[in-house]
């Protein structure tokens, strides 16, 4: 499984259900350009629109193919973190495609494999990818994460320090690695407090046990768990099992004092309230 899928896996179920309702286009409007819409990070991008990004059809003529360099230049020139995220995904998808001759993430979203025509279009898009573009990839992701683009903070963590996940184990005391860890957690925390659910889920899992980035923090983990429970209570249909109920997580609750449980509940209520505000949903019950 490629790196992007690994980073998203923690919150895949949440993203699949909530992407459309949680992060609608500002003011209900369409994106500024077809390039931004088609190149935006998953979920929600169609394979057909992605492969024809920026192609300009003319009457009775084949579409004008726009190169990867041109697409990246257009995205980078906007200065928008969402476009930086789209640029990251364009490059990342090319890296994956050149390695695997397919785009597993997009096939997962669509529920089917790429056609021969789609593979040929992707191969044409990625054929001219340069080493400089590969090196720019993580810079685009950092810009997106700092700009609060949904999902970017989770992928920033997944990529590891400067794209080297082994640095967390091999150079844990390196000041640059330490600074990267602080940045990664700060970004996730800011996004989680704003009810960006992939960040909530990522932090919940991170704080469940000692790891390379953070030490176990049961109160933190339980607060994020409760937030996910509240959100799921709001969105699940009646009779559907909520996977975050205490019957599955009682062992975590039992590690906390009553005071810690109360603090976790306060934290969770704040996140759930932000989610309802974003989605226009009333409080559950």
């Amino acid at each position: 499984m490629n790196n992007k899928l690994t980073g998203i896996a923690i919150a895949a179920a949440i993203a699949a259900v909530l992407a459309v309702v949680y992060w609608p286009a500002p003011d209900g409007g369409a994106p500024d350009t077809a390039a931004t819409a088609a190149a935006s990070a998953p979920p929600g991008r169609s394979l057909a629109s992605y492969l024809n990004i920026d192609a300009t059809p003319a009457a009775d003529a084949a579409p004008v193919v726009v190169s990867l360099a041109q697409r990246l230049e257009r995205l980078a020139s906007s200065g928008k973190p969402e476009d930086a995220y789209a640029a990251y995904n364009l490059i990342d998808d090319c890296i994956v495609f050149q390695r695997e001759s397919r785009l597993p993430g997009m096939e997962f979203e669509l529920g089917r494999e790429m056609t021969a025509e789609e593979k040929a279009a992707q191969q044409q898009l990625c054929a001219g990818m340069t080493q400089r573009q590969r090196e720019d990839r993580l810079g685009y992701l950092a810009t997106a994460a700092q700009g609060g683009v949904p999902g970017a903070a989770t992928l920033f963590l997944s990529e590891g320090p400067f794209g080297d996940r082994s640095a967390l184990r091999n150079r844990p005391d390196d000041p640059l690695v330490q600074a990267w860890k602080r940045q990664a957690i700060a970004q996730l925390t800011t996004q989680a407090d704003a009810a960006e659910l992939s960040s909530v889920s990522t932090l919940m899992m991170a704080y469940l046990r000692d790891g390379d980035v953070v030490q176990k923090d049961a109160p933190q983990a339980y607060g994020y768990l409760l937030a996910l429970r509240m959100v799921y209570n709001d969105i699940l249909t009646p009779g559907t099992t909520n996977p975050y109920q205490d019957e599955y997580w009682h062992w975590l609750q039992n590690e906390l004092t009553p005071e810690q449980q109360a603090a976790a509940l306060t934290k969770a209520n704040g996140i759930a309230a932000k989610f309802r505000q974003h989605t226009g949903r009333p409080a559950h019950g």
Side-chain angles (χ1 to χ4, degrees):
M1 183 174 289
N2 65 64
N3 185 42
K4 184 186 299 182
L5 285 178
T6 302
I8 294 176
I10 295 173
I14 295 173
V17 175
L18 300 173
V20 175
V21 297
Y22 181 56
W23 291 106
D27 301 321
D32 293 340
T33 65
T36 301
S40 294
R45 63 180 177 187
S46 72
L47 189 55
S49 65
Y50 175 84
L51 293 172
N52 290 285
I53 176 175
D54 282 345
T56 304
D60 301 321
V64 176
V65 177
V66 181
S67 70
L68 177 65
Q70 289 172 314
R71 299 175 193 189
L72 292 172
E73 182 179 0
R74 293 181 185 181
L75 290 168
S77 65
S78 79
K80 298 178 180 179
E82 295 83 4
D83 286 349
Y85 198 26
Y88 163 81
N89 277 284
L90 276 172
I91 300 169
D92 193 65
D93 282 346
C94 279
I95 292 172
V96 172
F97 185 81
Q98 290 185 342
R99 183 175 65 241
E100 302 185 23
S101 298
R102 54 191 288 260
L103 293 176
M106 297 182 70
E107 291 179 353
F108 174 80
E109 293 167 21
L110 294 172
R112 66 170 176 83
E113 296 182 357
M114 297 174 70
T115 66
E117 180 182 7
E118 290 164 346
K119 288 185 177 182
Q122 185 69 26
Q123 183 175 5
Q124 182 181 19
L125 172 68
C126 301
M129 183 172 58
T130 66
Q131 183 60 34
R132 175 61 183 271
Q133 289 166 345
R134 288 172 176 264
E135 293 170 355
D136 288 343
R137 166 177 160 272
L138 293 179
Y140 290 131
L141 179 60
T143 297
Q146 291 166 7
V149 178
T154 293
L155 282 174
F156 184 91
L157 179 71
S158 176
E159 289 283 1
F162 326 110
D164 179 12
R165 289 187 295 278
S166 68
L168 292 169
R169 297 183 300 275
N170 299 335
R171 296 186 286 120
D173 298 325
D174 186 327
L176 292 176
V177 173
Q178 291 288 328
W180 178 90
K181 290 198 292 186
R182 290 191 295 270
Q183 179 182 349
I185 293 303
Q187 290 170 169
L188 285 165
T189 301
T190 297
Q191 288 297 289
D193 289 346
E196 196 278 297
L197 295 181
S198 68
S199 295
V200 176
S201 181
T202 298
L203 286 175
M204 184 201 79
M205 298 299 293
Y207 284 123
L208 280 176
R209 60 186 62 84
D210 290 338
D212 294 328
V213 180
V214 296
Q215 299 300 303
K216 178 179 178 179
D217 190 327
Q220 288 268 36
Y222 192 62
Y224 292 124
L225 171 73
L226 288 179
L228 291 170
R229 177 188 305 171
M230 292 175 185
V231 169
Y232 266 58
N233 279 341
D234 284 347
I235 66 174
L236 290 175
T237 58
T240 303
T241 300
N242 188 327
Y244 296 103
Q245 293 291 359
D246 271 339
E247 62 184 287
Y248 305 111
W249 297 89
H250 58 86
W251 55 271
L252 178 60
Q253 182 187 33
N254 292 343
E255 293 185 16
L256 275 61
T257 66
E259 293 76 16
Q260 289 173 326
Q261 292 183 37
L265 180 60
T266 298
K267 181 186 187 73
N269 276 325
I271 293 173
K274 287 284 182 63
F275 174 81
R276 292 167 188 143
Q277 179 182 354
H278 290 317
T279 59
R281 292 174 178 271
H284 180 73

